[in-house]
Amino acid sequence: MFKKIMVATDGSVLADKALKTAVEQAKVEEAVLTILNVIPVTDMGSAEMIGLSRAEATKMKYPFLQKAQDYATNNGVEAKTLTLSGHPGQVIVDYLNSHPHDLVVLGHRGLSNIQALLMGSVAFKVANLAPCAVLIVK
């Protein structure tokens, strides 16, 4: 049923639960897993202000993504990682529109509660606009 699964992760506790759920589902379905991290625009702006390039800012997330990929691989799941930047909810939806997946898994709350208050929840946006099935993990 699900041959391509994406998990959106930001390193939060709920994102780790979402990763575990996505890996379990991918293992059962024998699906390929995409592990996506979106660096929020605010973080990219901060990185650029202190002189970090996009590549350097991405490397700051690398150990986190490598750990996620290792977890998937160690559980017998083929996985790739991807880092993009922008407004997380919109970036996830845009990526799904241009790179079809059968399922996206994400935590219901990430690292930025302030951003959720100002711009709305990433999970809410993805649940309402994603072109595929959405699994929100609590």
Side-chain angles (χ1 to χ4, degrees):
M1 184 171 164
F2 300 124
K3 293 302 172 195
K4 290 181 74 177
I5 298 173
M6 185 178 81
V7 59
T9 180
D10 62 4
S12 65
V13 172
L14 283 172
D16 285 344
K17 285 179 71 175
L19 173 67
K20 290 176 182 173
T21 300
V23 167
E24 288 171 16
Q25 189 67 42
K27 191 171 183 176
V28 168
E29 300 282 348
E30 298 180 0
V32 175
L33 181 65
T34 302
I35 303 167
L36 174 66
N37 175 251
V38 180
I39 300 172
V41 171
T42 53
D43 290 355
M44 285 306 301
S46 299
E48 290 166 359
M49 282 177 32
I50 61 171
L52 291 176
S53 70
R54 183 176 302 266
E56 290 168 323
T58 300
K59 284 181 185 177
M60 291 171 56
K61 299 284 186 178
Y62 182 77
F64 159 78
L65 288 174
Q66 186 62 52
K67 182 179 174 184
Q69 186 170 20
D70 289 346
Y71 178 80
T73 302
N74 291 339
N75 281 280
V77 173
E78 179 185 341
K80 69 174 185 172
T81 61
L82 178 65
T83 300
L84 301 173
S85 65
H87 297 288
Q90 192 60 52
V91 169
I92 293 166
V93 170
D94 290 346
Y95 183 80
L96 289 168
N97 280 321
S98 60
H99 300 84
H101 283 70
D102 304 306
L103 174 68
V104 60
V105 182
L106 65 160
H108 86 288
R109 213 27 117 197
L111 289 175
S112 179
N113 288 327
I114 293 172
Q115 183 183 22
L117 286 172
L118 296 174
M119 299 186 334
S121 155
V122 171
F124 181 81
K125 185 165 202 145
V126 173
N128 284 289
L129 298 176
C132 62
V134 178
L135 176 58
I136 298 174
V137 177
K138 286 186 164 190

